[in-house]
């Protein structure tokens, strides 16, 4: 009997160690990817390739012409293009996702909630190349003629396509935050005579606000790294402009389109890895911020993390 | 009935199946001497990927022992793969640059063998509704450099010009930049699309659109006659005009190998340059080589 227990304990510790090992490998892989990407970009920091430095990709002339007699590697139009498309996507996706989350968490009868949530989450499972194709073939011409735009492929259309991709993330995370609000918040509000919608908008939503913040930040992270939809729909022209009707080129699409061809070790190659490092840092920071938001939601609702 | 017997009976169908698989694997025809099972890899130009696939299909029909894998990615990608040794044949819509040849020599210790396999007219695509009838190379250069932004300045209607083309990993992009833009940069508003199919699709849907790409892709768009300069006549990208060298954007499509092709690859090259291979060229929409077999 005693031996049996000892044996079980040993098995337990072994299983724990194996699981820890897997978790460690996952983290190590992420770390090694970062080290590899950053190392390939490193010669830029020392200014040893084609005179590119850490500053030169950000100073005038603001032009991205990497295959040229005098290559110009300026990432400012790419950053502006990325942020422009991402902001459009968030402006469209956030209200829609939030309204849907409020509905499912506060108003929907139990039976319909059971299929609404999985249905919206299924949107996240559609491959982005399919989404891009749909926007390119179905939406692009319609948007252009409805709004009278000069360009069929532009930042606005790409933003709309991207909104489809980030909507399920914002929806799921904020719906989780809303349902995490303890029932006594609602009961107290209803007992004081507030209507159902007053309770939802003025009590539950403010209580879950950090969770909604997390949802938006995580959606932002997904949108900034999304490649296929923007590659297909944005027109990929590196223009420094805030006009949403113009084509735009994003950081991720630039890496995807150009990395296959570059000469190993060239300035172009280094700059593409530099862009990869930038993207990695930005999305990591956003994920970290999302996590902080989630933590502060837990502290606010339950008093501890 | 004892336990192990039940088990073996349960597994009996599975066993039979795996035996059958094994037997069928053994039952393949024995390798004939000199015609061993071969896999040939081809990578490169997006312009040529349809052509390459067509060649592969036709060739594999007549040569059951040979498997040919064709992938795209752009001429630059294919050349890089040839240098790194990850492909045996590189399809390219532009000639290899001297520095690429040098790094091939350095990495693989072999000279690049250049084999022209087909002819192409780099066509200028316009939307069907665009009334423009011809442009000169100089006008095209000004349009794609962004110096002309309205069709009115090129003798057309008052409508903005929308530029479409390929990404900078494309051999066609590089060719166009050299021969039309005089190596200057493309306009800021030039829209780089992934693949010639995407360019055709964009021009088809955009009344003010203009794009470029291989003649083999030109469906449902207008292919514009082009004049060498203002005094020369405008010439359509037809087979005849490519053969008599009057179409200004005629070009060779190439295969490259590291060192002269040998064995199965040499057989494939001979077949591609022969009547069957060249017939496939015209069926895909490109132009066959004039001479049946040019010097390498």
């Amino acid at each position: 009997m005693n031996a049996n227990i000892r044996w079980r304990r040993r098995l337990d510790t072994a299983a724990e160690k194996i699981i820890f090992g897997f978790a460690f490998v996952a983290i190590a892989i992420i770390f090694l990817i970062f080290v590899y990407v950053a190392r390939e970009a490193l010669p830029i920091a020392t200014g040893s390739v084609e005179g590119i430095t850490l500053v030169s990709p950000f100073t005038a002339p603001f032009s991205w012409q990497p295959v040229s007699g005098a290559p110009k590697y300026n990432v400012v139009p790419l950053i502006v293009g990325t942020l422009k498309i991402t902001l459009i996507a968030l402006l469209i996706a956030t209200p829609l996702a939030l309204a849907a989350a409020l509905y499912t968490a506060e108003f929907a009868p139990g039976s319909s909630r059971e299929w609404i949530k999985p249905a919206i989450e299924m949107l996240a499972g559609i491959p982005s190349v399919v989404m891009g194709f749909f926007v390119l073939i179905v939406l692009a011409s319609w948007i252009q003629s409805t709004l009278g735009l000069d360009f069929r492929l532009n930042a606005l259309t790409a933003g709309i396509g991207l909104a489809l991709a980030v909507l399920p993330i914002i929806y799921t995370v904020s719906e989780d935050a809303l349902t995490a609000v303890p029932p006594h918040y609602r009961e107290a509000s209803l007992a004081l005579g507030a209507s159902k919608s007053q309770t939802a908008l003025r009590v539950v939503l403010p209580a879950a606000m950090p969770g909604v913040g997390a949802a938006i930040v995580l959606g932002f992270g997904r949108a900034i790294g999304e490649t296929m939809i923007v590659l297909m729909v944005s027109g990929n022209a590196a223009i420094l402009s805030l006009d949403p009707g113009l084509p735009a080129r994003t950081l991720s699409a630039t890496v995807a389109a150009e990395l296959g061809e570059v000469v190993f070790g060239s300035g172009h190659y280094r700059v593409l890895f530099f862009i990869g490092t930038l993207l990695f840092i930005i999305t990591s920071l956003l994920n970290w911020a999302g996590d902080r938001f989630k933590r502060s939601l837990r502290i606010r609702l339950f008093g501890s993390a | 009935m004892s336990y192990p017997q039940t088990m073996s009976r349960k597994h009996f169908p599975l066993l039979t199946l795996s035996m059958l698989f094994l037997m069928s694997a053994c039952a393949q025809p024995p390798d004939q001497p000199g015609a061993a099972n071969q896999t040939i890899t081809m990578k490169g130009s997006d312009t040529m990927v349809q052509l390459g696939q067509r060649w592969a299909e036709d060739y594999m029909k007549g040569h059951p022992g040979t498997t040919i894998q064709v992938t795209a990615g752009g001429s630059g990608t294919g050349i890089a793969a040839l240098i790194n040794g990850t492909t045996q044949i590189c399809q390219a819509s532009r000639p290899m640059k001297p520095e690429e040849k040098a790094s091939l020599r350095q990495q693989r210790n072999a000279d690049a063998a250049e084999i022209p396999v087909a002819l192409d007219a780099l066509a200028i695509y316009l939307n069907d509704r665009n009334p423009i009838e011809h442009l000169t190379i100089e006008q095209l250069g000004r349009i794609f450099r962004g110096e002309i932004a309205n069709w009115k300045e090129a003798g057309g209607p008052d409508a903005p010009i929308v530029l479409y083309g390929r990404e900078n990993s494309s051999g066609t992009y590089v060719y166009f930049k050299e021969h039309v833009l005089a190596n200057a940069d493309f306009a800021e508003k030039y829209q780089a699309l992934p693949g010639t199919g995407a360019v055709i699709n964009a021009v088809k849907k955009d009344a003010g659109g203009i794009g470029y790409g291989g003649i083999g892709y030109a469906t449902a768009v207008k292919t514009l006659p082009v004049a060498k300069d203002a005094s020369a006549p405008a010439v359509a990208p037809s087979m005849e005009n490519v053969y008599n060298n009057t179409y200004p954007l005629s070009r060779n499509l190439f295969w490259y190998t590291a060192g002269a092709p040998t064995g199965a690859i040499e057989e494939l090259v001979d077949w591609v340059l022969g009547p069957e291979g060249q017939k496939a060229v015209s069926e895909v929409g490109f132009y066959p080589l004039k001479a049946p077999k040019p010097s390498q």
Side-chain angles (χ1 to χ4, degrees):
Chain A
M1 211 47 206
N2 211 354
N4 195 6
I5 288 174
R6 211 178 304 144
W7 188 80
R8 272 200 208 171
R9 278 209 188 121
R10 222 173 282 158
L11 195 73
D12 230 37
T13 10
E16 201 185 302
K17 286 210 172 115
I18 290 170
I19 293 169
F20 171 80
F22 283 140
F24 179 78
V25 166
I27 293 171
I29 287 172
I30 294 173
F31 179 73
L32 286 176
I33 289 174
F34 180 75
V35 168
Y36 172 75
V37 173
R39 201 194 56 188
E40 293 301 305
L42 199 64
I44 288 182
T46 59
S48 54
V49 202
E50 296 178 24
I52 307 163
T53 63
L54 283 179
V55 186
S56 67
F58 300 100
T59 50
F62 299 113
S63 145
W64 178 259
Q65 294 281 359
V67 177
S68 168
K72 295 159 205 78
Y73 308 110
N74 195 287
V75 298
V76 176
L78 308 181
I79 291 174
V80 170
T82 306
L83 291 179
K84 191 161 74 171
I85 293 176
T86 308
L87 283 180
I88 293 167
L90 287 178
L91 283 177
I92 295 165
T94 308
L96 283 175
L98 208 52
L102 265 173
Y103 176 74
T104 23
E106 300 301 314
F107 298 101
S111 57
S112 61
R113 176 192 285 180
E114 260 160 42
W115 63 264
I116 292 179
K117 198 169 186 205
I120 294 182
E121 280 166 355
M122 220 164 71
L123 201 58
I126 298 176
S128 53
V129 63
V130 175
M131 207 92 92
F133 191 72
F134 167 75
V135 176
L136 184 66
I137 300 298
V138 181
L139 287 184
S141 295
W142 179 78
I143 293 169
Q144 185 192 17
S145 58
T146 312
L147 301 178
L149 301 171
D150 283 346
F151 295 94
R152 198 174 79 90
L153 306 177
N154 56 59
L156 179 67
T157 310
I160 291 170
L162 207 51
L164 293 174
V166 299
L167 198 143
I169 290 174
I170 302 181
Y171 168 79
T172 312
V173 179
S174 46
E175 209 266 351
D176 287 346
L178 291 170
T179 32
V181 175
H184 58 252
Y185 276 60
R186 298 181 186 83
E187 286 154 12
S189 165
L190 293 170
L192 288 170
S195 71
K196 227 178 164 187
S197 50
Q198 281 172 326
T199 307
L201 290 173
R202 306 224 183 131
V203 177
V204 180
L205 183 61
M209 220 47 200
V212 175
I216 296 172
V217 166
L218 292 176
F220 190 44
R222 166 82 159 85
I224 240 173
E226 168 52 48
T227 308
M228 208 56 215
I229 296 176
V230 290
L231 185 65
M232 292 169 84
V233 186
S234 68
N236 300 315
I239 306 171
L240 184 65
S241 157
L242 293 176
D243 183 351
L246 289 177
R249 193 177 182 89
T250 67
L251 295 166
S252 57
T254 301
V255 176
E258 298 176 13
L259 195 59
E261 183 262 352
V262 290
V263 180
F264 182 84
S266 64
H268 189 188
Y269 176 89
R270 301 292 179 203
V271 174
L272 290 180
F273 273 93
F274 177 63
I275 291 175
T277 314
L278 274 183
L279 278 171
F280 200 107
I281 293 172
I282 294 170
T283 41
S284 302
L285 284 177
L286 288 172
N287 282 338
W288 175 79
D291 201 56
R292 298 298 301 183
F293 272 122
K294 276 188 189 164
R295 189 172 301 200
S296 75
L297 174 74
R298 254 170 289 158
I299 291 171
R300 183 195 273 214
L301 294 179
F302 307 111
S304 74
Chain B
M1 205 180 265
S2 70
Y3 185 62
Q5 268 176 337
T6 347
M7 276 305 283
S8 65
R9 207 171 267 186
K10 245 187 208 165
H11 285 133
F12 185 71
L14 206 77
L15 262 172
T16 328
L17 257 179
S18 46
M19 287 298 283
L20 271 173
F21 272 120
L22 265 173
M23 276 153 70
S24 66
C26 299
Q28 271 187 1
D31 293 346
Q32 291 135 23
N37 284 358
Q38 279 277 354
T39 301
I40 300 174
T41 51
M42 266 161 72
K43 191 178 176 69
S45 169
D46 289 328
T47 304
M48 294 168 71
V49 66
Q50 286 185 350
L51 180 59
Q53 274 162 353
R54 177 61 189 271
W55 275 331
E57 277 167 30
D58 288 2
Y59 188 77
M60 286 190 287
K61 256 181 235 158
H63 301 75
T66 310
T67 309
I68 305 175
Q69 292 169 354
V70 186
T71 42
S75 302
T77 314
I79 291 168
L82 188 70
I83 293 170
N84 299 331
T86 53
T87 187
Q88 290 167 303
I89 297 171
C90 159
Q91 302 204 90
S93 61
R94 64 168 171 87
M96 263 174 98
K97 294 172 193 161
E99 59 266 29
E100 288 166 339
K101 286 184 177 168
S103 59
L104 181 75
R105 207 168 299 127
Q106 197 187 345
Q107 299 259 339
R108 304 280 307 276
N109 200 20
D111 283 321
E114 181 179 286
I115 308 151
V117 287
L119 290 168
D120 180 28
L122 194 147
I124 306 298
Y125 311 136
L126 283 189
N127 188 282
D128 279 336
R129 282 171 286 171
N130 194 323
I132 295 269
E133 277 172 0
H134 52 81
L135 290 168
T136 64
I137 291 284
E138 195 251 334
Q139 279 176 313
L140 281 170
R142 292 180 62 198
I143 286 172
F144 275 91
R145 283 191 298 264
E147 293 153 18
I148 300 179
N150 195 303
W151 284 114
K152 159 177 87 175
E153 293 164 75
D158 182 9
I161 301 176
V162 185
L163 307 174
Y164 295 105
R166 299 289 310 284
E167 277 288 353
N168 53 38
S169 58
S170 148
T172 310
Y173 172 99
V174 174
Y175 180 94
F176 195 83
K177 192 174 169 132
E178 275 170 19
H179 290 82
V180 179
L181 270 65
N183 275 323
D185 286 341
F186 277 94
E188 200 185 38
K189 287 183 179 168
Y190 167 79
Q191 299 183 50
L193 302 184
T196 311
V199 174
I200 291 278
N201 184 50
V203 172
K204 203 165 69 185
K205 295 199 168 174
D206 193 332
I210 181 168
Y212 61 84
I215 188 74
Y217 284 82
T219 45
V221 291
K222 195 156 116 179
T223 50
L224 193 73
V226 176
K228 201 176 278 176
D229 48 56
S231 58
V235 178
S238 66
M239 178 151 72
E240 193 194 353
N241 293 333
V242 169
Y243 283 164
N244 63 25
N245 235 342
T246 49
Y247 184 68
L249 300 173
S250 311
R251 59 176 179 169
N252 271 309
L253 300 177
F254 299 102
W255 273 10
Y256 284 98
T257 53
T262 53
I265 297 176
E266 192 185 9
E267 275 177 47
L268 175 64
V269 168
D270 287 343
W271 180 89
V272 158
L273 299 178
E276 281 176 86
Q278 292 301 306
K279 193 171 139 248
V281 170
S282 43
E283 279 167 12
V284 174
F286 293 99
Y287 303 138
L289 298 163
K290 250 185 301 182
K293 190 174 175 180
S295 61
Q296 286 174 20

